[in-house]
């Protein structure tokens, strides 16, 4: 397996990245997080389906827009944990004295009835 990193700095780069992936005969893609990717998630999901590229995303919102699957940190859990930090700080704790924590809850969601799954199943 060979990994190919395709940098997307603005919305115009998205279609270029998919063309490059298709020309490079990519068998799947992993869509990471970033402001451009988050604001263009429907376009990304649609292009993945159009190019018949199985895709996994780090945010569940991509699956809600028709993406195939997601694996990433459970954001609701992170928000709850952040609230406990705020509570401790408001009660007088010094931020520098609070321990750094890593995420402990992750989500793996596969949406079998996605536009992408439909395209992949009908490609034979």
């Amino acid at each position: 397996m060979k990994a190919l990193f395709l940098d997307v700095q603005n919305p115009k780069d998205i279609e270029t990245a998919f063309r490059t992936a298709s020309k490079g005969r990519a068998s799947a893609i992993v869509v990471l997080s970033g402001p451009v990717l988050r604001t263009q998630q429907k376009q990304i999901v649609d292009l993945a389906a159009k190019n018949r590229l199985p895709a996994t995303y780090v945010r569940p919102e991509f699956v809600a827009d028709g993406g195939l699957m997601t694996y990433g940190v459970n954001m609701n859990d992170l928000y709850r944990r952040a609230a406990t930090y705020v509570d401790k700080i408001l009660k007088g704790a010094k931020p520098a004295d609070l321990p750094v924590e890593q995420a402990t809850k992750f989500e793996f969601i596969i949406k079998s009835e996605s536009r992408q799954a439909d395209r992949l199943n009908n490609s034979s």
Side-chain angles (χ1 to χ4, degrees):
M1 179 185 304
K2 179 182 172 186
L4 176 64
F5 178 78
L6 301 171
D7 196 21
V8 174
Q9 295 294 319
N10 63 64
K12 295 176 190 173
D13 296 337
I14 296 170
E15 287 194 37
T16 304
F18 274 95
R19 274 195 303 276
T20 302
S22 292
K23 286 180 184 175
R25 297 183 181 217
S27 56
I29 61 170
V30 176
V31 179
L32 302 176
S33 188
V36 172
L37 302 177
R38 289 275 291 129
T39 61
Q40 303 298 315
Q41 63 193 44
K42 185 174 178 343
Q43 177 191 15
I44 293 167
V45 167
D46 289 344
L47 284 169
K50 178 183 172 186
N51 288 283
R52 293 187 170 102
L53 285 169
T56 185
Y57 308 92
V58 296
R59 301 283 307 201
E61 292 85 1
F62 282 91
V63 174
D65 275 345
L68 182 60
M69 66 183 148
T70 181
Y71 178 75
V73 174
N74 180 309
M75 295 304 290
N76 289 335
D77 183 57
L78 286 184
Y79 297 143
R80 278 191 290 275
R81 292 171 65 192
T84 63
Y85 272 77
V86 171
D87 181 57
K88 290 176 184 180
I89 292 167
L90 290 175
K91 289 180 178 174
K94 294 180 184 175
D97 294 339
L98 297 175
V100 175
E101 295 184 17
Q102 291 187 0
T104 58
K105 286 189 178 181
F106 294 82
E107 298 176 303
F108 180 51
I109 302 168
I110 299 176
K111 186 173 183 179
S112 62
E113 295 177 4
S114 71
R115 285 176 280 168
Q116 194 168 16
D118 291 341
R119 288 271 178 105
L120 292 171
N121 288 334
N122 294 325
S123 65
S124 50

